[in-house]
Amino acid sequence: MRQEGCVRIVIVGGGMAGSKLAFELMQQKNANYSITLIGEEAQVGYNRIMLSSLLAKDISDHEMSLVDTEKMQQEGVSIIAGDGVESIDLEAKVVCLASTRTIGYDKLIMATGSRAKILPIDGAKASNVMGFRTWNDVNVMASLQQKRSVCVIGGGLLGLEAAVGLVKRGHKVTVFHRSKWLLNRQLDTESAALLGSRLEQMGIEFRLGESPSSFIQSENGLVNQVVRADGERVAADLIVMAAGISPEIALAKSAGLKVNQAIIVDEKMQTSHRDVFALGECCEFEQQTFGLVAPIWDQIKVLISVLNDKDASFSIEPTPTKLKVSGVNLFSVGKIQADPEDSCIFFKDVGANHYRKLIVNDGVLVGAILYGNVADGSWYFQLIKNKTNVSDMLELLVFGEAYCCPKVA
């Protein structure tokens, strides 16, 4: 029975954004909520960032938890897993699940996340062409027999993590990447070359500057060869697509919510419908979508305040990218390619596996790439965020905070 004055909050999506929101709402003191978290996956509340570590067998299933779902259920949060929302009736304020069960709400939060892009390559509809976004994807890869040939399409973070995990499982891995260098959104050519060399030592092969022209299927309908642009064929038992993500907006669109690339929200995380909100990878604010954790966590804080009738507004802030690929620490923030009016400061020590590139414009740091030793990343980020004039420390800036701001004994 519904308690008097209790606000029914239904969260559609049991991924990182949805489960984190549910957990934080549960801990709100003096809040009279009835919280229902609905996920289409069998597992709810796990840390998607750790999927590559799980694939590489660096962590156990138990270490995948993002939030304590047992505690949430003990505290009264209703968790529905493996039964996704099929439709939403905005007028009746009801969601209908795949099982045909219906659930009413007062406030609805869309946290449907995103799906892996499957590129429109001839032959890509075979069953052994897959994305890398879910726990089940890891299970599929983990079930692959030893010493198989795997082609990963995409040399961004997700693709490299998949490649490393598969190589650690004993497979032969070839990565196709249409850019001429790896992690081209976070690294420059120098740092990408250092990373590529490290990964090649692990046994990963790279086909940079190209995408497959087609996939050849065997008589059983499975891809067994990848055709390169020059006609060469590469053997493949599995294709892993890691060439970007698409915000999951089908449900919101069919319900009548306003969408563009993703579900459009304002600074209160409110959609085009008054009692419906969205956050995470499925939302779009000021024509920007979000794939990094930091802004999504900020969205959660704003939404909790809004649901508690407090004033809060989401705004886009510069966000540093912190990565760790095969034990190599990487950090980038701001500009990664200098314009003619910018000046660059470099430091490179191949023996120590250490590289830094700083971009300065008119006495202000506007970009930083750190490879190997990333200890000064947060300091550089603050300099960029605060628009600190660094003109008087340019000679020492690349060596970090300890040299530029020595502590007085």
Side-chain angles (χ1 to χ4, degrees):
M1 183 179 290
R2 184 182 175 190
Q3 296 177 0
E4 187 67 31
C6 180
V7 178
R8 300 171 300 170
I9 296 178
V10 171
I11 302 169
V12 182
M16 291 177 67
S19 59
K20 177 77 169 175
L21 172 65
F23 186 79
E24 296 298 329
L25 283 171
M26 175 199 77
Q27 298 189 100
Q28 293 293 297
K29 294 179 180 177
N30 302 320
N32 193 11
Y33 297 137
S34 164
I35 304 167
T36 302
L37 177 65
I38 306 170
E40 66 175 7
E41 291 184 57
Q43 297 93 350
V44 169
Y46 66 85
N47 189 344
R48 203 178 300 277
I49 295 170
M50 302 304 292
L51 284 173
S52 56
S53 298
L54 184 65
L55 177 62
K57 297 192 281 191
D58 291 335
I59 64 170
S60 65
D61 288 5
H62 181 71
E63 294 171 281
M64 284 292 292
S65 297
L66 175 71
V67 295
D68 189 339
T69 52
E70 266 189 42
K71 181 181 178 183
M72 289 167 67
Q73 288 175 309
Q74 289 169 2
E75 293 290 331
V77 177
S78 174
I79 297 178
I80 300 170
D83 190 11
V85 175
E86 292 283 298
S87 63
I88 302 168
D89 187 330
L90 295 176
E91 294 304 314
K93 289 193 172 184
V94 167
V95 299
C96 182
L97 310 188
S99 62
T100 71
R101 178 182 176 186
T102 58
I103 298 172
Y105 66 84
D106 297 307
K107 303 290 182 182
L108 181 68
I109 291 90
M110 303 295 290
T112 47
S114 60
R115 301 198 188 273
K117 279 184 182 176
I118 302 299
L119 299 179
I121 299 172
D122 187 34
K125 292 184 178 179
S127 61
N128 63 334
V129 177
M130 62 180 293
F132 181 37
R133 292 289 296 162
T134 68
W135 197 319
N136 188 58
D137 291 336
V138 171
N139 292 338
V140 171
M141 291 187 224
S143 67
L144 193 64
Q145 294 180 359
Q146 284 279 318
K147 297 183 180 178
R148 296 294 180 180
S149 295
V150 183
C151 281
V152 176
I153 315 301
L157 178 61
L158 204 60
L160 295 183
E161 288 183 332
V164 168
L166 288 161
V167 123
K168 284 186 174 181
R169 284 182 171 267
H171 303 298
K172 182 181 184 297
V173 180
T174 303
V175 175
F176 285 80
H177 187 50
R178 64 183 177 184
S179 174
K180 292 182 179 178
W181 70 92
L182 301 172
L183 290 176
N184 51 290
R185 292 185 178 180
Q186 292 88 14
L187 303 181
D188 61 359
T189 53
E190 286 275 345
S191 50
L194 288 170
L195 177 61
S197 178
R198 171 70 176 263
L199 298 178
E200 282 173 346
Q201 290 170 13
M202 296 182 65
I204 301 172
E205 293 184 19
F206 292 99
R207 309 285 190 180
L208 299 178
E210 64 175 285
S211 294
S213 61
S214 64
F215 300 129
I216 302 295
Q217 296 180 5
S218 61
E219 291 181 0
N220 62 4
L222 298 177
V223 171
N224 62 0
Q225 289 182 321
V226 175
V227 182
R228 298 178 62 192
D230 61 5
E232 181 190 344
R233 297 187 178 190
V234 179
D237 298 298
L238 181 70
I239 307 295
V240 179
M241 289 274 190
I245 57 175
S246 299
E248 181 49 70
I249 61 172
L251 183 63
K253 190 174 182 180
S254 64
L257 296 176
K258 192 174 180 181
V259 300
N260 185 30
Q261 299 177 74
I263 306 168
I264 296 173
V265 297
D266 62 14
E267 72 280 1
K268 308 295 183 186
M269 310 313 300
Q270 191 173 61
T271 69
S272 55
H273 195 277
R274 188 183 65 179
D275 293 317
V276 183
F277 303 82
L279 78 167
E281 292 178 335
C282 71
C283 82
E284 176 181 338
F285 175 68
E286 294 184 351
Q287 298 183 316
Q288 186 167 323
T289 55
F290 307 90
L292 297 175
V293 166
I296 294 173
W297 276 195
D298 288 342
Q299 291 174 0
I300 289 173
K301 290 176 184 176
V302 168
L303 182 51
I304 289 173
S305 293
V306 170
L307 292 172
N308 286 328
D309 295 322
K310 295 177 182 176
D311 188 42
S313 298
F314 175 71
S315 60
I316 298 170
E317 300 285 346
T319 304
T321 303
K322 298 176 183 179
L323 314 171
K324 191 166 187 176
V325 181
S326 185
V328 178
N329 289 301
L330 308 167
F331 177 97
S332 73
V333 61
K335 295 175 74 171
I336 62 172
Q337 300 295 337
D339 292 322
E341 64 271 18
D342 299 326
S343 57
C344 287
I345 308 171
F346 296 94
F347 174 85
K348 185 175 181 180
D349 185 338
V350 177
N353 207 33
H354 183 191
Y355 171 83
R356 288 187 178 186
K357 173 184 176 180
L358 305 178
I359 300 177
V360 178
N361 180 279
D362 196 24
V364 176
L365 186 66
V366 293
I369 296 174
L370 281 64
Y371 174 95
N373 183 344
V374 300
D376 289 299
S378 296
W379 182 63
Y380 288 134
F381 173 54
Q382 285 303 317
L383 292 178
I384 291 172
K385 192 175 180 181
N386 298 336
K387 298 182 180 179
T388 303
N389 192 300
V390 296
S391 300
D392 61 347
M393 59 176 90
L394 288 179
E395 290 186 2
L396 297 174
L397 190 63
V398 78
F399 300 109
E401 183 179 14
Y403 286 86
C404 296
C405 308
K407 293 180 181 179
V408 179

